[in-house]
Amino acid sequence: MTLHSVQPAAEKLLGMPGSLFGTTLIIAGVALFLVNLSRRLLLLFRSQYDPRFSSLGKRFLALLTDGFLQKKLPRFYPVAGALHIIIFWGFLVLVLRTVELAGVGMKPDFALPFLEGGFGAIYTLVREIFSLLVLLACGGAFYRRAVVKPERYKGSHQGEAYLVLLLIAFLMLSDMTFEGSGLVLDRSAGTGHLGSRAVMLLMSGWSSETLISIRLASYWSHMAGLILFLNLLPFSKHFHVLTALPNVFFRKLTRGEAKPPRWDVPAVEKLQTVGVKSLNDLSWKQILDLYSCTECGRCTDNCPAHAAGRRLSPKMVTMKLRDYGVGGKGGTDGGLPVSGGVITDEEIWGCTTCGSCEEQCPVAVEHVDKIIDMRRYLVGMESRFPCEIENAYRNAEIYGDPQGMGRARRREWASGLKLTELENPGNAEILYWVGCAGAFDERYREVATAFVSLLQKAGVAFSILGSEEGCCGDFARRTGNEYLFQFLARKNIEVLQRFNGKKVVTTCPHCFNALKNEYRQLGCTVEVNHHSEYLLELAGEGRLQIPGGATFSISYHDSCYLGRYNGIYEAPRNLLQLGGAKVVELDRNRERGFCCGAGGGYLWLEEQGKRLNEMRVDNVVAANLEVVATACPFCLLMLQDGIKAREETAGLRVLDIAEFIAEKGGAAP
Amino acid sequence: MNIIVCVTEVSRICGHGGVNDVTGELDPKYRVQMLNPYDEAAVEEALRIRENRGIGSVTVVIVGPARTERVLHWCLSMGADSAFHIINENMEDTDAWGTSQVLARFLSTREYDLLLFGRHTIDYGSGQVGTFVAELLGLPVVTSAVRIEVAADGKKATIHSALERGNRLVVETLLPAVLTADKVLNRPRYPTLPARLAVRNKPIQRVALPLPDSGAETVELPRTDIVKVAPAKLRPKKILSPDSNLSPSEKLKFMMRGGITEKKGGSVGGTPAQLAAGIIDFLRERKLLD
């Protein structure tokens, strides 16, 4: 690094040596920051245990792709994403420069050893490029906020955002001025690049007194700005600068697995309380989530409940929790309860747990687990929940299914089919987990029958559990009734463990997710396949012959619990293609798939505002095809109801992928 | 105020299947275990009386085999203070009179201000036990209570009892008395997790049969034999044909209505909110709603 003739640390300021002033400023600034930081750390240290150190390889990879490479940022939001990437990378590049500048303020001849020589020259060029880009990006971001005004920023702290953008722009400009004025004073130091070169050209020929004053003023204002910025962090959403990368690193690796009430106490019977009453009941990752939220609003922008006009906005939930926690007396037991106080019942009960918010979040905030934890408090501690779900709770506990049909009728649907039950599982290759929808719902029984016919066609020896099967407990867990979930799960685990290692295949993504991801919290690991994967496997092995033939177009609706929760997007599509279908994508598909409206217990809850299934049918109608395929009983029933509610959809049919393969494989619908 | 609630388990819910086609008996494998909903309303009411008065206790009693203890767990998790289980493994061998005798003998050794029963069970549903027990104990009885108001001194109670067609009988009685609860009395609570877990600290006191002689004359338990459980016969559907005396247009109207004569009176329409408001107005006009 080149030494300029006028160094701030060597000049006197306010009657004291610059180096003393600089050292004092920096130490005071950092100390103030640490004091303010401690308030936030306190909340973090008071939080609950959360195991987030497994699979370090995956975590480092995520840190690289989602953290440093910002993979999620430009997806769906290219302009905002690009602007952020520039500013973020600029920050990374300018870290060195900041250290250097801080050093220069304390010691006149300060220099970072590795910034001498060749690397230093390259670094200077790169830094200058990024300084300019960041400056432009700040302008772009400012323009977006002030003029474009995206809907998703509604409710965010706008003033704070403007202040920080101005501050960053100012830091860039002051750095350029400091550098540029120095270059005029000391021609031997080089000609500068871009920003500082522009400043240099502008100021060449100015008197050296003016230049010295400008150089000192720009330096000290830069340092003041830097310290102001540092001290703004613990008071604003810009705290994400510090916590976002750790938050991405400690992200949840299995999205389908809902957090147990307490990671260190998996069995609900061992708990004194359940759910979140005060912020201290959150886990440390959940607190880190609150700190990492950037208020970008992508979650809310993609939230089906929000789109339907419900009160819920995932962004506001996170913001409200954080603002309550860091402001005033929040976070203690003396204040408002979190569930039903800071966050209203309406917000808590609005969620369908579709996971779209989490999928969109660039900093890996986990909204759904917090909603579930808040529901746990309301259900478990206060018995406060929408009254319409009580029957489902009672039915599941008494009869083993939310509809209240009873175990005796579990295999009624299969009375015409020749199936072996649990009594004779010896030669069964797989276990077909029928689920409550397959067993009891009149329409979905057709899907179960179609799937069985495919299994028989492929010569698979399979077995069903009949009356031994029970509700998987998904709806209970997602609505916060953890006691009921564990009660149901334990009954099923007892049965499943008798099968020891037999592969389970489900047609329901909710059962699939519960068996695959959640039963292991209670000590049961089973190999589970969704029927989309299994049928594809059978077709791949040549056991299941699917006649191809005429191609025609159908649309496919993604199930949240299959897609976002378990990453199965391609299997159902590939299967449809094998059956001769050309899959036409609906608006909002795959990661951005729009919830049918039945998840999170909503099959048994009354919807407020617009109906999600009818909104989804709008997308299906827009595709203008005769068949929409699904791979989930909830989606199937919801779409069917949505279609019934409209007139212009008379010819539209909803089929499960298994039905499509069984009935339509190779022939036009 | 000490309240004792006598409850029972219902396990025979034929609507949920599991009935042997040949014998008409419920397959024990498919037995459900639930608290009779009318008894649940009685427990809830007892809890509310206790909570309103801020003092007293709620005790639940069941006569039945060992498995019925699950029902007591539910009552305790709702908030009952203690529970007695009079173990009778052979419920099938007894009937309402027999059960009433057992209960009456047990209750004669206890102290209480109020005895609550469910109006009837939803399986056998004879609705007799409450009244039999009242007779055996020589207490006043009011059946089908839809509202219970206990006087401040705890010596009297005013009970609204359901009659047909929405009429109510308002009865005042001295306590102790036997009341049988209708389901519309209240909306039973759904137990919280701590309440469910607290059950572990509320021991159930088991009482074996035969009960020790309480001074009453020993009575032989009478038996009612079930001869047969006959499945419901489907009624032939009535097919209405228009009266031949009617004019063609009247006949047409008759057929268009599906053969059903419309009831007199207005009908409400509009959005669900307007519908609800209309229904409430209708009920208020007729003083069916306060």
Side-chain angles (χ1 to χ4, degrees):
Chain A
M1 200 58 221
T2 45
L3 265 178
H4 298 296
S5 55
V6 180
Q7 288 301 59
E11 306 292 320
K12 281 209 165 209
L13 188 72
L14 301 175
M16 64 165 119
S19 56
L20 180 63
F21 185 84
T23 314
T24 318
L25 183 72
I26 289 164
I27 290 175
V30 171
L32 188 61
F33 166 72
L34 290 176
V35 169
N36 289 325
L37 183 70
S38 66
R39 284 169 60 100
R40 290 205 165 199
L41 288 180
L42 199 62
L43 206 53
L44 202 57
F45 286 132
R46 278 188 188 151
S47 56
Q48 306 293 326
Y49 169 77
D50 200 342
R52 298 277 179 166
F53 292 92
S54 62
S55 317
L56 289 177
K58 271 190 196 167
R59 294 189 182 281
F60 278 112
L61 189 68
L63 184 64
L64 181 70
T65 57
D66 288 25
F68 289 105
L69 296 179
Q70 308 253 298
K71 196 183 77 184
K72 277 190 176 178
L73 270 138
R75 190 181 65 164
F76 310 127
Y77 300 91
V79 178
L83 292 175
H84 187 272
I85 289 180
I86 291 170
I87 297 176
F88 170 69
W89 286 349
F91 261 75
L92 292 183
V93 169
L94 290 167
V95 164
L96 275 185
R97 171 66 172 171
T98 305
V99 172
E100 187 186 32
L101 283 178
V104 164
M106 293 190 279
K107 199 163 161 259
D109 55 350
F110 179 85
L112 289 170
F114 47 87
L115 286 186
E116 315 277 344
F119 177 74
I122 297 168
Y123 177 72
T124 307
L125 178 62
V126 172
R127 162 169 75 76
E128 291 284 2
I129 292 171
F130 269 102
S131 290
L132 191 63
L133 283 175
V134 168
L135 188 61
L136 293 174
C138 285
F142 201 96
Y143 175 80
R144 273 179 54 75
R145 278 188 188 266
V147 182
V148 182
K149 287 187 183 157
E151 179 70 21
R152 61 193 172 96
Y153 292 151
K154 212 167 135 189
S156 302
H157 296 113
Q158 291 278 30
E160 205 178 286
Y162 285 129
L163 178 63
V164 167
L165 283 176
L166 288 175
L167 200 53
I168 295 173
F170 174 75
L171 290 176
M172 298 303 116
L173 286 172
S174 56
D175 188 10
M176 290 171 192
T177 313
F178 173 65
E179 185 74 4
S181 57
L183 292 172
V184 184
L185 283 166
D186 180 5
R187 294 278 177 184
S188 68
T191 54
H193 309 282
L194 303 165
S196 41
R197 178 150 181 86
V199 172
M200 185 185 160
L201 293 175
L202 177 75
M203 293 181 181
S204 62
W206 292 13
S207 75
S208 62
E209 285 83 51
T210 319
L211 285 169
I212 290 170
S213 318
I214 287 175
R215 181 163 160 83
L216 291 177
S218 60
Y219 176 78
W220 291 115
S221 60
H222 182 87
M223 290 313 289
L226 208 58
I227 281 168
L228 178 62
F229 183 75
L230 187 67
N231 280 287
L232 275 178
L233 296 184
F235 293 101
S236 73
K237 68 172 186 130
H238 292 91
F239 201 58
H240 83 264
V241 170
L242 301 173
T243 58
L245 290 175
N247 211 48
V248 168
F249 180 78
F250 292 119
R251 71 193 307 170
K252 187 167 165 179
L253 295 174
T254 320
R255 185 171 296 141
E257 181 186 13
K259 167 186 170 290
R262 288 270 304 271
W263 277 107
D264 42 352
V265 190
V268 74
E269 297 88 353
K270 303 237 165 67
L271 292 170
Q272 300 299 312
T273 61
V274 67
V276 170
K277 185 185 186 189
S278 83
L279 286 176
N280 297 341
D281 295 323
L282 291 173
S283 83
W284 63 263
K285 171 62 171 67
Q286 289 176 319
I287 298 281
L288 201 63
D289 277 353
L290 305 184
Y291 293 160
S292 304
C293 175
T294 67
E295 304 180 4
C296 71
R298 291 168 189 234
C299 46
T300 298
D301 209 23
N302 288 279
C303 174
H306 185 77
R310 293 184 204 161
R311 286 277 168 80
L312 174 66
S313 155
K315 178 183 79 172
M316 294 311 291
V317 168
T318 309
M319 281 173 61
K320 280 201 246 179
L321 288 177
R322 181 198 59 202
D323 292 351
Y324 179 67
V326 297
K329 58 177 179 177
T332 58
D333 288 320
L336 275 172
V338 162
S339 315
V342 180
I343 309 298
T344 62
D345 289 38
E346 264 179 305
E347 289 169 276
I348 295 170
W349 289 104
C351 177
T352 63
T353 69
C354 77
S356 185
C357 45
E358 296 186 5
E359 175 64 40
Q360 291 293 333
C361 184
V363 294
V365 171
E366 291 148 22
H367 309 79
V368 178
D369 281 346
K370 290 192 203 83
I371 298 268
I372 294 175
D373 269 339
M374 288 189 268
R375 288 179 177 181
R376 279 177 182 147
Y377 175 77
L378 292 180
V379 175
M381 302 303 289
E382 297 199 345
S383 195
R384 205 160 100 199
F385 45 81
C387 58
E388 60 269 22
I389 203 164
E390 187 171 336
N391 269 339
Y393 285 162
R394 286 172 178 263
N395 285 338
E397 190 165 344
I398 294 167
Y399 302 110
D401 63 272
Q403 295 97 319
M405 304 296 272
R407 288 173 184 272
R409 292 170 66 183
R410 279 240 167 222
R411 59 158 309 174
E412 234 174 41
W413 68 278
S415 53
L417 311 163
K418 287 189 176 131
L419 304 184
T420 48
E421 268 192 57
L422 185 65
E423 293 83 41
N424 186 23
N427 51 357
E429 192 179 333
I430 62 153
L431 178 68
Y432 172 31
W433 184 275
V434 183
C436 300
F440 300 123
D441 184 82
E442 215 176 312
R443 169 69 183 90
Y444 203 72
R445 280 177 173 184
E446 295 172 15
V447 176
T449 310
F451 178 59
V452 162
S453 78
L454 289 174
L455 290 179
Q456 287 171 336
K457 208 172 136 194
V460 178
F462 67 97
S463 167
I464 63 167
L465 289 172
S467 62
E468 300 247 25
E469 192 182 296
C471 170
C472 65
D474 167 75
F475 90 99
R477 175 163 250 207
R478 296 292 183 295
T479 53
N481 197 336
E482 186 68 14
Y483 180 89
L484 181 58
F485 165 72
Q486 295 200 4
F487 172 79
L488 295 169
R490 289 220 175 84
K491 279 195 166 186
N492 287 329
I493 287 171
E494 216 173 274
V495 178
L496 285 169
Q497 272 169 349
R498 270 189 275 151
F499 278 84
N500 249 349
K502 201 146 277 193
K503 187 195 266 188
V504 178
V505 178
T506 74
T507 40
C508 174
H510 292 259
C511 299
F512 170 69
N513 185 61
L515 265 61
K516 186 179 175 204
N517 296 324
E518 305 207 306
Y519 281 16
R520 85 172 152 222
Q521 288 174 357
L522 300 171
C524 171
T525 41
V526 275
E527 192 195 349
V528 197
N529 270 189
H530 185 251
H531 72 313
S532 59
E533 299 171 296
Y534 189 66
L535 288 176
L536 202 62
E537 187 186 313
L538 288 179
E541 287 167 1
R543 294 173 69 185
L544 181 65
Q545 301 293 328
I546 303 173
T551 46
F552 46 89
S553 302
I554 69 172
S555 51
Y556 174 72
H557 163 82
D558 279 290
S559 148
C560 308
Y561 276 61
L562 193 62
R564 272 191 293 268
Y565 274 36
N566 288 290
I568 301 174
Y569 297 111
E570 298 311 322
R573 288 180 169 80
N574 293 345
L575 199 63
L576 290 170
Q577 275 158 8
L578 274 182
K582 182 174 172 291
V583 180
V584 177
E585 293 298 346
L586 295 173
D587 185 22
R588 297 186 281 202
N589 58 64
R590 288 193 170 85
E591 291 89 348
R592 228 181 178 185
F594 193 76
C595 177
C596 70
Y602 257 91
L603 205 58
W604 290 276
L605 288 171
E606 198 54 50
E607 284 182 69
Q608 308 291 323
K610 275 193 274 182
R611 289 182 182 276
L612 291 182
N613 55 343
E614 289 172 19
M615 292 170 72
R616 187 50 167 165
V617 168
D618 286 342
N619 293 149
V620 176
V621 169
N624 200 21
L625 297 168
E626 281 172 22
V627 176
V628 54
T630 69
C632 170
F634 288 13
C635 300
L636 182 106
L637 299 174
M638 290 304 275
L639 288 181
Q640 196 163 282
D641 281 356
I643 287 167
K644 268 185 214 156
R646 306 167 55 135
E647 282 173 14
E648 74 270 29
T649 50
L652 189 57
R653 291 181 69 204
V654 193
L655 287 179
D656 187 85
I657 47 170
E659 283 182 302
F660 174 78
I661 297 299
E663 298 170 19
K664 301 290 174 192
Chain B
M1 171 168 264
N2 299 321
I3 307 170
I4 297 181
V5 191
C6 300
V7 300
T8 189
E9 175 204 77
V10 287
S11 57
R12 285 186 60 101
I13 302 175
C14 301
H16 292 94
V19 176
N20 187 313
D21 293 339
V22 183
T23 62
E25 288 288 315
L26 186 93
D27 190 334
K29 192 170 131 193
Y30 300 133
R31 207 193 291 274
V32 297
Q33 290 185 296
M34 70 186 271
L35 172 61
N36 178 33
Y38 289 86
D39 299 348
E40 192 171 1
V43 174
E44 175 66 33
E45 196 62 21
L47 294 171
R48 288 187 189 184
I49 293 170
R50 185 194 70 188
E51 281 158 12
N52 283 341
R53 302 179 72 84
I55 184 164
S57 69
V58 174
T59 306
V60 284
V61 182
I62 197 166
V63 186
R67 65 157 200 277
T68 55
E69 231 159 70
R70 236 192 99 101
V71 163
L72 290 181
H73 288 153
W74 184 271
C75 298
L76 290 172
S77 71
M78 285 175 75
D81 303 287
S82 54
F84 286 90
H85 184 188
I86 305 171
I87 297 164
N88 178 6
E89 287 299 335
N90 303 309
M91 281 306 275
E92 285 76 18
D93 290 348
T94 188
D95 59 4
W97 179 243
T99 306
S100 306
Q101 301 231 17
V102 171
L103 278 173
R105 203 177 290 178
F106 171 79
L107 291 168
S108 65
T109 65
R110 315 288 313 171
E111 285 191 6
Y112 49 83
D113 301 300
L114 186 60
L115 279 180
L116 285 174
F117 288 77
R119 196 184 95 162
H120 61 209
T121 59
I122 60 167
D123 49 2
Y124 287 101
S126 75
Q128 294 168 329
V129 176
T131 41
F132 284 167
V133 169
E135 170 68 19
L136 289 166
L137 294 174
L139 293 175
V141 57
V142 185
T143 57
S144 297
V146 293
R147 183 191 287 179
I148 299 172
E149 288 157 5
V150 177
D153 61 359
K155 301 270 189 264
K156 267 197 281 187
T158 309
I159 299 106
H160 292 229
S161 175
L163 299 178
E164 286 196 3
R165 297 175 69 93
N167 288 332
R168 287 180 179 190
L169 183 72
V170 183
V171 183
E172 201 176 85
T173 177
L174 288 172
L175 297 182
V178 173
L179 309 179
T180 72
D182 200 304
K183 222 162 56 164
V184 298
L185 190 57
N186 51 45
R187 190 186 155 82
R189 64 197 66 189
Y190 188 79
T192 62
L193 180 73
R196 280 190 189 249
L197 301 183
V199 171
R200 291 181 295 196
N201 304 323
K202 294 179 182 174
I204 292 171
Q205 300 171 57
R206 297 188 181 87
V207 184
L209 284 178
L211 294 174
D213 192 11
S214 57
E217 275 181 55
T218 35
V219 188
E220 198 175 317
L221 300 182
R223 287 179 51 176
T224 312
D225 284 328
I226 296 175
V227 181
K228 187 184 170 191
V229 178
K233 279 181 195 155
L234 291 176
R235 281 190 202 167
K237 207 175 179 182
K238 271 187 189 168
I239 300 164
L240 290 173
S241 51
D243 193 335
S244 56
N245 292 334
L246 294 173
S247 69
S249 73
E250 288 290 318
K251 275 187 196 167
L252 201 63
K253 273 186 200 161
F254 184 87
M255 285 187 284
M256 296 283 281
R257 284 198 307 267
I260 296 156
T261 318
E262 265 178 44
K263 281 200 172 172
K264 279 178 192 155
S267 64
V268 286
T271 64
Q274 287 168 333
L275 282 172
I279 293 167
I280 289 169
D281 286 345
F282 177 88
L283 293 172
R284 285 228 170 97
E285 264 169 39
R286 283 157 188 77
K287 302 215 174 355
L288 293 169
L289 202 71
D290 340 292

